[in-house]
Amino acid sequence: MFEFERPRGGERALLVHINFPHQPDQDDLNEFVELVRSADVLDAELIVGSRQQPSAKTFIGKGKLEEIAARVKAQEIDVVLFNHPLSPSQERNLESTLQCRVLDRTGLILDIFAQRAQSFEGKLQVELAQLKHLSSRLVRGWTHLERQKGGIGLRGPGETQLETDRRLLGKRIKYLNNRLDKVARQRAQSRQARTKADIPTVSLVGYTNAGKSTLFNALTDASVYAADQLFATLDPTLRKLQLSEQQDIILADTVGFIRHLPHDLVAAFRATLLETREADLILHIVDSSDDSRQEKIEAVDRILHEVGAGEVPQLLVYNKIDVLGVSPRVDLDEQERPWRIWLSAQEGRGFEELVETLRQRFCQQSARYRLQLTASEGQIRAYLFESGAIDSENYENNGDIRLKLRLTPALLKRLQRKFGISPDRLEELADTLAGAA
């Protein structure tokens, strides 16, 4: 077995894409090429093939493997990139035959994330994802150090290099998880402070390269890095946007999603994605000029459900209308509510429509409600107390609590979504009843 260095920018790569007729939900070849371009590969060649099903040993067939090996030798290829997930054994077998570094789609995405991470938190999250991915591939390069079978003079050391590596890897993963747990607690405290101040959070999500950061910069005068490449933005950024003299919102720019986003990345970025799960509204940014936009919308929705944000209200933002040559507009649903906005973040057209829609949604005055909680619903009371929503409370003999609340529409929806409180439990009060018990 062979151990090779992780690929660096500027290397020669050979791309491999195999079509499987019975797998319609395959990764798009053009997207794979964009991923490679985003990884700063100096030069790349492409090999495309077809199989009925992957080979358990090398993923590809014997003939295709010989073709790739010949190309690697003739072109002095540094790394072979597969547009497919490879098992650890397939990766090892391919490296042994090709005698160069082999990366699957997951490893390529992890490498791009490693290049993009700038903040301390982002670097922690990427390292955690890389180590979890690496932990299943540690056998590469260490077989010569494994413990020998029994017999005098043939017994191996008490702990093989492989076992030492796994133990150290486990300790590092535990350390990173602890640090990220601390980050999650800090983010939770920030969210509580925003909730108490009645500042709603709007999270920008979307398929990678849909234009989230360009829109974020234009709305908030921020300087988040934006480029025409996949995963240009990795580190989350929060900025305040003033809708009126009485109402601000927090805009959160997040990492772009992609089909078949590695599970280790989703798990490692749980602290970042929590901002999306706890948001009052999701602005789902879509590249309106993309022919496969519907498939990408569905891919983003799947990831949102995976991270627990599937029930957060969404507003679709169709970006890049300058490419289509259409005018800004707001599409309404059957209840006359905005559900899709067409704009151009690059040209700044459609911003007035977007801001006005947000203003209508969040700039409503708070209303007063009466809510009765049982003794077992202390968690709801604590949440309302932290949100600063309780005007008064009275305890009854049976332990129930009668609360008088002042709720904004955003906080009301958050309360209903978080605790499943039905509307009929909340009795709306007129301001003239402020002194009533």
Side-chain angles (χ1 to χ4, degrees), residues 4-32:
F4 300 96
E5 295 295 325
R6 186 178 69 82
R8 299 171 298 278
E11 291 184 305
R12 295 178 59 83
L14 181 64
L15 318 185
V16 179
H17 177 85
I18 306 298
N19 292 307
F20 298 100
H22 303 298
Q23 295 182 14
D25 186 27
Q26 298 183 71
D27 295 307
D28 182 68
L29 179 56
N30 293 330
E31 183 175 273
F32 179 47

Side-chain angles (χ1 to χ4, degrees), residues 124-140:
L124 284 180
Q125 292 175 124
V126 171
E127 183 183 356
L128 177 62
Q130 285 182 314
L131 292 182
K132 286 184 175 180
H133 184 67
L134 178 64
S135 62
S136 64
R137 287 159 164 77
L138 272 184
V139 290
R140 182 193 300 116

